Amino acid sequence: MNQLGDKYSEEKNIELLKSSLDGNKDALNKLVKIHRPYIFNVAWKFTFDPQDAEDLTQEALIKVITKLSQFKFESQFRTWLYRIVFNEFLLSKRRKGDKQFTDFENQGKRLDSIENATLDESEEKEYEELAKELRYRCLSGMIMCLTREQRLLFIVGETFGVDHNLGSEIFGMTKGNYRVKLHRARKELINFMQQKCGLMNPKNPCRCGKKAKTMHKNGHLTEDQQFFNVGYKTKVADYAFQNSELVADIVDKKHLELLRDIPAKDDFSKETIVEEIIGSNELLDFFELN
């Protein structure tokens, strides 16, 4: 379910919130589970690394739980919740992805340093899955080259398709400022893709399959090291608006298709510290949720 799209139910969220504030652990758990997939998948694109994304998701959800009793029912719950979540993202510590992907210039040099190996027809098939993994990594790495604010605005506004009305509310800025900042982030990313990505411009020499062969032979890309192309059926597109006028009017469809084809995770069966908090009467009392 897209928590920010047409299927979102403010009434259902408020119902679960009120029940949570009355001490209903099941309602609190349901509220967390509604929003966790979206938060994780934005965090994944924001950090590049799935484990870092899991850690950041837990930190954001814990922050939300500690503040639930402060919600005044004077605004939409989703606006209030995601403002807390995304502020936590922006203020979080620097992680591996921040240090690995510093800017577009270095990303370009990194791509240029990987040889475009020769591929025959049988090898194109052989390296097809690894090429997908490399493409997802490369696209995600490009997003990482934006500043933190640009990155988050782009992920939320373009990749996940949140329109300027809701986006400006969540980020606490005017619609005009939101549009300008989003445009700048988009322009930087698309300019780089046009200059380097062979999928966007056939004149560019970069080819995912050829570079995947080189990285595989060097031991830097193997079948058991994949963390994007791991069989998830859900795609970022499943979380995106279908009627975002900003995206439809301005963004080149091919760029958008590539970015929204990146896998997304929707299976969260593993128990985490958030579930432990929900199960603790002492902690819920402390956060005024009991």
Side-chain angles (χ1 to χ4, degrees), residues 104-170:
F104 286 110
E105 182 179 357
N106 284 327
Q107 177 69 351
K109 290 178 180 178
R110 184 183 292 114
L111 291 173
D112 291 341
S113 69
I114 304 170
E115 178 190 356
N116 274 319
T118 303
L119 282 180
D120 59 33
E121 190 172 334
S122 63
E123 286 179 318
E124 287 184 5
K125 186 66 177 177
E126 177 184 352
Y127 289 102
E128 183 177 3
E129 293 305 313
L130 288 180
K132 283 183 183 179
E133 171 71 12
L134 184 58
R135 180 169 71 249
Y136 297 144
R137 289 190 191 185
C138 189
L139 291 169
S140 297
M142 291 176 190
I143 293 174
M144 290 295 299
C145 293
L146 297 167
T147 68
R148 279 195 158 200
E149 184 184 55
Q150 286 181 321
R151 191 191 317 163
L152 190 54
L153 280 165
F154 185 88
I155 292 167
V156 174
E158 299 288 26
T159 310
F160 287 92
V162 172
D163 69 21
H164 60 282
N165 293 301
L166 179 56
S168 61
E169 291 178 14
I170 291 175

Side-chain angles (χ1 to χ4, degrees), residues 76-131:
Q76 282 207 329
F77 176 70
R78 66 177 178 183
T79 303
W80 178 86
L81 183 150
Y82 285 105
R83 186 177 294 176
I84 291 175
V85 168
F86 296 151
N87 189 57
E88 184 71 13
F89 283 15
L90 292 173
L91 295 177
S92 65
K93 65 180 182 181
R94 282 171 52 83
R95 301 174 193 269
K96 294 190 293 289
D98 293 294
K99 299 171 184 178
Q100 181 180 359
F101 302 97
T102 55
D103 54 55
F104 286 110
E105 182 179 357
N106 284 327
Q107 177 69 351
K109 290 178 180 178
R110 184 183 292 114
L111 291 173
D112 291 341
S113 69
I114 304 170
E115 178 190 356
N116 274 319
T118 303
L119 282 180
D120 59 33
E121 190 172 334
S122 63
E123 286 179 318
E124 287 184 5
K125 186 66 177 177
E126 177 184 352
Y127 289 102
E128 183 177 3
E129 293 305 313
L130 288 180

Side-chain angles (χ1 to χ4, degrees), residues 20 23 25 28 62 65-69 272-290:
S20 299
K25 294 180 183 179
L28 180 56
I62 290 170
I65 290 174
T66 64
K67 291 181 176 291
L68 278 182
S69 62
T272 66
I273 190 171
V274 173
E275 281 73 32
E276 292 179 20
I277 289 174
I278 293 174
S280 169
N281 288 325
E282 292 80 5
L283 286 172
L284 291 181
D285 285 337
F286 182 77
F287 299 137
E288 300 180 27
L289 295 172
N290 232 342

Side-chain angles (χ1 to χ4, degrees), residues 41 56 74 107 129 132 134 172 221 236:
N41 284 294
L56 185 54
E74 297 173 350
Q107 177 69 351
E129 293 305 313
K132 283 183 183 179
L134 184 58
L221 181 65
V236 166

